Each structure stands twice: as structure tokens, then as C-alpha cells.
Amino acid sequence: MKSKVTKAIFPVAGLGTRFLPATKSIPKEILTLVDRPLIQYAIDEARAAGIEEFIFVTSRGKSALEDYFDNAPELESALAQKGKTEILEELQQTNMDSGAIAYVRQNQPLGLGHAVWCARRMVHDEAFAVILTDDVIAADKPCLQQMMEAYNETGGNYVAAMEVPADKTASYGVLDVGPGDGPRLPVNGMVEKPKPEDAPSNLAVIGRYILTPRIMWNLDARKAGAGGEIQLTDAIAQEIHGGNSVYAYRFDGQRYDCGSKAGFLQATVAFGLQRPDLKDEFGEYLSDLSAMRQAAE
């Protein structure tokens, strides 16, 4: 029986080594696309999907991430006195109600499955969502909201999915799916980071999940999988083998891998060009830059 999903887990304990030296003192999740940090995009998507409780799995050195969601009365007062109401309204959207966010520590980097398992006492016996902040998805209707609407029809477990180049399968959890109607496909199997020749398809899992409480039970075994880590995909695959429903949801939207420098830069350009206050000046600069490169070649 499906239950309403009101809790989301945000695994944010990673060290962000691909963005050193910036992440030496700044959590990767605070890095900004234009003027909003990655974590804000994730929170806004969760809110749009009806999430009410936000569970952060953190580690040492993440205090700036926690501070980001606190009220800033002195700053708000200064903006109000200067009549900067538009900026003040944007700032207030980052505030979270007392008790809406909970934090739990992951003391060892043992994998995504382990990070999710660390939040087990906070989700109890409820279905829950998982959002990976590295995956920023631009969509008219937020990705998790799309998935939530499908989940409300069927229940079960859902993973966001998209096609990837065949030679990139070793970077993803890859799905073996059956036929289905529309964006929802039944999942027959999952393989974590397979070689291209071993991949069942080129349909890969992206960082959005809606999961039943049984996933936490599966993770209790804390069994290491690919890369010696505890894999969330392995726990989901157990549900398939047990005859329980798992669906791949081919979302409508553009995904940016902001865990890589190239993906982060691509997202910055794309989001900058979408901004009414930036698109003309920024677009002109990019056009001039492209013209200079063509001339140089």
C-alpha cells in the first residue's frame, strides 16, 4: 500500500575533491549556479514535490551548509531599510522553519547506500525520497514532482532514469527494463557501473529516488558492492528479486552533472541564459566569444 511521501534524504557528506581547492573550506553543495547554491535547487525541487521534512546526511566541515538555511535577521533588516524588497524576498525563500531540517552524520565514506542508511531512524517505516544535489535538473515541472505524481498512482519504488552514451555506463547504475506506457517503465534488474559490454541497456539511474521502507531493511546488511562501497542500487535490486515493484521514470527535463567541472560550467551557462536580467548581456558575450574562437581557427 502506498503512503504519502513527506520526507527527503539529501546525502551531502562528500568531500567534493573534484572541486578542490574551493571545497577546502566551502561545502560543494554551497557552490553557486549563477547566484543560488546547488543545495537550494534541490530544496526547491523537494518543496515543489510536497516534501515537508528535509534530512541532511553530513560530515565534518559542513557547518556552512547548515548555516545557509538559518534566518539572517541583521541582513534582512539591512535590506529592508534600504528598500531592497526584491532581494529580501529572495533571501527569505532560503529560510527553513524550525524543525524542518534534521542533520545526521556519516562518519565514514562507505557509499551512497550507507549514507541513506544513516538516516534510517528519521524515516522510520515511511516511504521517502532521495535527492542527489550533484544532479541539477532543469524542467518546467520539477523532476521529483513528476515522479511523485506517478508514485501516487502506483506506489512502489521509483528511480529517475535517462539514456546515456554506451561508453559511459561504467559511471552509472544501469537498468534492465520492460515495456511500459509513457515515461514509466517496470525495472527487471539493475547493475551498478557495468562495463559497456556488460550493460543491459543504456538507461541509467539519475539522482532522484522515491523508495519504500524495505530499502532501509535491505541496507541493514551493509553489504559492500561495486567499488567496495554499500550501493543503494543493490538494495533496490533486492526489491526486484523479491517481486516488489520498481519503476524507472524517464523524466522530462535537462539534467546537468554538477559533480563534474564540465557539467557545472554547462549548467552555469544554461541557467545564466535563462535569467531575464542576464540573458542579453551574457548571450552577447558568448556570441562574441564564439566569433573570436572561429576567427582564431
Side-chain angles (χ1 to χ4, degrees):
M1 180 178 178
K2 64 178 181 291
S3 59
K4 184 179 179 182
V5 179
T6 60
K7 297 181 179 181
I9 298 172
F10 300 80
V12 292
L15 298 175
T17 53
R18 283 187 284 184
F19 285 87
L20 286 170
T23 48
K24 178 182 178 182
S25 60
I26 302 173
K28 177 182 61 176
E29 298 80 16
I30 294 294
L31 297 178
T32 58
L33 294 179
V34 189
D35 55 6
R36 296 170 66 206
L38 294 177
I39 191 61
Q40 187 66 54
Y41 289 94
I43 288 289
D44 289 346
E45 183 176 335
R47 282 171 165 167
I51 297 301
E52 300 171 0
E53 298 181 50
F54 307 81
I55 304 165
F56 287 64
V57 181
T58 67
S59 60
R60 290 177 59 85
K62 298 285 184 172
S63 58
L65 179 62
E66 299 179 13
D67 291 342
Y68 174 77
F69 292 105
D70 279 350
N71 293 355
E74 294 178 358
L75 179 56
E76 291 181 17
S77 177
L79 292 173
Q81 290 175 9
K82 294 179 181 179
K84 297 184 177 181
T85 56
E86 186 175 339
I87 299 176
L88 177 58
E89 289 175 0
E90 291 183 8
L91 179 66
Q92 290 174 336
Q93 290 176 9
T94 69
N95 297 342
M96 301 290 285
D97 293 337
S98 296
I101 294 183
Y103 300 94
V104 59
R105 284 288 184 98
Q106 182 188 25
N107 293 328
Q108 296 175 285
L110 299 179
L112 176 59
H114 181 260
V116 170
W117 177 82
C118 288
R120 65 198 181 282
R121 293 189 178 92
M122 295 184 178
V123 299
H124 304 293
D125 292 327
E126 300 175 48
F128 59 96
V130 178
I131 297 181
L132 306 188
T133 57
D134 280 355
D135 286 333
V136 176
I137 300 174
D140 292 334
K141 179 183 289 186
C143 177
L144 189 63
Q145 184 180 353
Q146 296 176 45
M147 296 172 65
M148 200 73 78
E149 291 174 357
Y151 165 84
N152 288 336
E153 294 178 2
T154 64
N157 298 279
Y158 274 79
V159 298
M162 63 175 283
E163 292 184 351
V164 299
D167 61 352
K168 301 294 185 181
T169 58
S171 299
Y172 297 90
V174 179
L175 300 166
D176 177 11
V177 297
D181 296 327
R184 181 174 55 222
L185 299 171
V187 178
N188 299 323
M190 305 176 70
V191 183
E192 182 65 25
K193 299 180 180 179
K195 296 179 180 178
E197 60 270 23
D198 298 327
S201 72
N202 69 333
L203 194 64
V205 178
I206 302 304
R208 302 291 185 275
Y209 308 79
I210 300 174
L211 303 172
T212 62
R214 290 183 58 88
I215 297 299
M216 288 297 189
W217 306 345
N218 297 340
L219 289 170
D220 277 338
R222 285 178 281 177
K223 183 178 179 181
E229 296 184 334
I230 299 170
Q231 300 291 348
L232 182 59
T233 49
D234 290 344
I236 299 171
Q238 279 186 252
E239 291 301 284
I240 301 170
H241 299 151
N244 298 308
S245 298
V246 177
Y247 299 99
Y249 190 88
R250 294 179 294 187
F251 58 90
D252 183 16
Q254 175 65 50
R255 174 253 188 176
Y256 298 94
D257 177 11
C258 291
S260 71
K261 293 177 183 177
F264 188 89
L265 290 172
Q266 291 163 11
T268 299
V269 171
F271 280 79
L273 290 174
Q274 291 174 3
R275 287 275 296 264
D277 58 332
L278 296 174
K279 64 179 183 180
D280 292 338
E281 181 180 355
F282 189 40
E284 182 178 350
Y285 167 75
L286 292 176
S287 295
D288 291 344
L289 183 63
S290 178
M292 286 189 292
R293 288 188 62 184
Q294 290 177 3
E297 293 174 356

